[in-house]
Amino acid sequence: GATTSSTTIMQSGLISATVTSPEGCESKYNYMVQLNQNPTITSQPFHQTNCMGATAQDISVTANGGFSLDYQWYSNSQNSFSGGTPIAGANSPTYAPSTSTVGTEYLWCVVSDNTGSNCEPDTSKIVYSKVFDAIYITQQPLDSQIVCHNGMPASLNVHYGSNPLNPNSIGVDVDWFLATNPINPTSGSIYVGAGFSFSPPTNVIGTFFYFYIAKSEYYTGPCFEVTSDLAKVDVIAQPTIANQGLGYQTVCQNTPATPLNISMNGPNNIYTYSWSVSTNPNGTNPTANLIPGANASSYLPPTNISGMFYYSSKIGVNAYGCNSVGSNFFVVDVKDSPTIDAEPINYINWRQV
């Protein structure tokens, strides 16, 4: 056995030491020695990505060796052990990363023996915890429009944003859908296209509701997908005049005329009217003058001046892709009021009777 004052213990067990003085006196000492391996991490933590405010999964380490193990988790804003700071209260094999702040946090765990046995600590690999505040709609698509059959509609566009502090680009894909049930749009919806702009078809007359779903190309989670509001598209027939009313009338001067009326097919609230009048509608130099304030579907022509007057209205449509319509002429023939050119014979005697 060893005959020196110190030795290296290679295995656990009872160790005996005998000390002999120069005079030959002996003292015997027994030591119970327990040897163990340095702490060793056998299961490493994992990376994770979360939405802000979500509940993060616990990250954890598994370790063996040592006698009584301590755990301390560290955090850093850089992917480096240098400059890391211990996280207060994070002293167990598991740790739940915070999701209260957008950005990237780098985490690792140091496992050490707390018995003063001179065991070397072990350090896990660095993992990241990325927190996103991802997709939000900055402007909804046009909520409602009226467009004429086979006309050019207003495009439905995607306007979105994301937090500039997000750890990475999230990449966005957009899919458009036709809602067959506007009360529950995503149920039974029909895919109709992709992209950041969508031109709704107008080849079928009816009322249609569209929406889009924008989602990240790279990540999944509630903050990486957003659904727009519904965009209503009413496709109507091209405008036509249903009835133009009386086309010709004769009226005495200063006698009320019959109003000039136009009725249109389709919803009445989309039409605008501009009435004009002419006394020379078909000559080599036809003329027509807009009538100030005559902007309704009905117009009452004045009769204070005699003559032949030709009235018409140009009908505009407050809708997309619609043709304007012009009425036929309404002819109003204002006759001079009758006058007495000569008194009858014996007029004076007749008046005296």
Side-chain angles (χ1 to χ4, degrees):
T3 57
T4 61
S5 61
S6 65
T7 187
T8 300
I9 307 301
M10 303 301 295
Q11 63 183 20
S12 299
L14 180 64
I15 305 299
S16 296
T18 302
V19 179
T20 304
S21 68
E23 292 79 14
C25 297
E26 291 184 349
S27 295
K28 192 171 184 178
Y29 300 89
N30 293 323
Y31 300 92
M32 180 58 69
V33 177
Q34 183 179 357
L35 299 181
N36 208 340
Q37 299 291 326
N38 289 322
T40 302
I41 294 173
T42 59
S43 176
Q44 296 285 346
F46 56 86
H47 303 296
Q48 63 175 290
T49 298
N50 292 291
C51 295
M52 186 170 66
T55 300
Q57 290 182 277
D58 288 343
I59 56 176
S60 63
V61 295
T62 302
N64 55 29
F67 297 97
S68 178
L69 299 180
D70 278 343
Y71 299 85
Q72 178 63 61
W73 289 90
Y74 288 79
S75 172
N76 200 349
S77 59
Q78 305 295 322
N79 187 11
S80 172
F81 293 114
S82 176
T85 57
I87 302 172
N91 306 117
S92 71
T94 63
Y95 173 69
S98 171
T99 61
S100 62
T101 303
V102 174
T104 302
E105 182 181 24
Y106 295 93
L107 303 164
W108 65 92
C109 185
V110 174
V111 181
S112 58
D113 185 90
N114 59 20
T115 62
S117 56
N118 295 321
C119 294
E120 294 293 330
D122 196 15
T123 301
S124 75
K125 71 176 183 179
I126 297 175
V127 294
Y128 62 71
S129 172
K130 295 184 177 182
V131 179
F132 287 82
D133 177 23
I135 305 172
Y136 52 89
I137 295 174
T138 58
Q139 181 180 330
Q140 295 286 350
L142 183 65
D143 62 343
S144 180
Q145 63 175 295
I146 299 173
V147 58
C148 281
H149 186 220
N150 291 323
M152 179 65 70
S155 294
L156 305 178
N157 297 313
V158 176
H159 299 276
Y160 80 96
S162 60
N163 195 316
L165 299 178
N166 281 334
N168 301 102
S169 170
I170 59 176
V172 175
D173 284 332
V174 179
D175 292 321
W176 290 88
F177 298 88
L178 170 66
T180 57
N181 177 11
I183 297 176
N184 186 11
T186 56
S187 176
S189 59
I190 300 171
Y191 174 80
V192 292
F196 289 88
S197 183
F198 174 69
S199 182
T202 61
N203 58 317
V204 177
I205 293 174
T207 299
F208 306 93
F209 295 88
Y210 299 93
F211 68 96
Y212 69 79
I213 296 176
K215 55 187 177 182
S216 171
E217 298 178 62
Y218 315 123
Y219 303 101
T220 59
C223 64
F224 297 111
E225 181 175 314
V226 66
T227 301
S228 76
D229 293 343
L230 291 176
K232 179 182 178 183
V233 180
D234 282 311
V235 182
I236 63 172
Q238 286 287 348
T240 55
I241 295 175
N243 191 297
Q244 189 167 302
L246 184 63
Y248 178 86
Q249 60 180 296
T250 301
V251 61
C252 289
Q253 188 177 5
N254 295 319
T255 300
T258 300
L260 313 179
N261 296 311
I262 298 174
S263 60
M264 299 292 297
N265 292 310
N268 292 326
N269 62 341
I270 65 171
Y271 296 113
T272 62
Y273 300 85
S274 298
W275 288 89
S276 59
V277 62
S278 175
T279 56
N280 179 31
N282 299 312
T284 55
N285 295 304
T287 59
N289 296 308
L290 285 174
I291 304 171
N295 305 117
S297 61
S298 180
Y299 177 69
L300 181 63
T303 60
N304 59 315
I305 300 174
S306 62
M308 188 80 75
F309 299 93
Y310 298 84
Y311 294 91
S312 63
S313 181
K314 183 176 181 180
I315 300 108
V317 187
N318 287 326
Y320 294 94
C322 299
N323 303 322
S324 59
V325 179
S327 73
N328 295 328
F329 284 117
F330 295 84
V331 181
V332 180
D333 188 1
V334 181
K335 301 293 187 180
D336 290 328
S337 297
T339 58
I340 299 175
D341 294 329
E343 293 185 350
I345 299 173
N346 297 323
Y347 171 70
I348 296 176
N349 295 333
W350 174 75
R351 290 178 66 187
Q352 292 177 344
V353 173

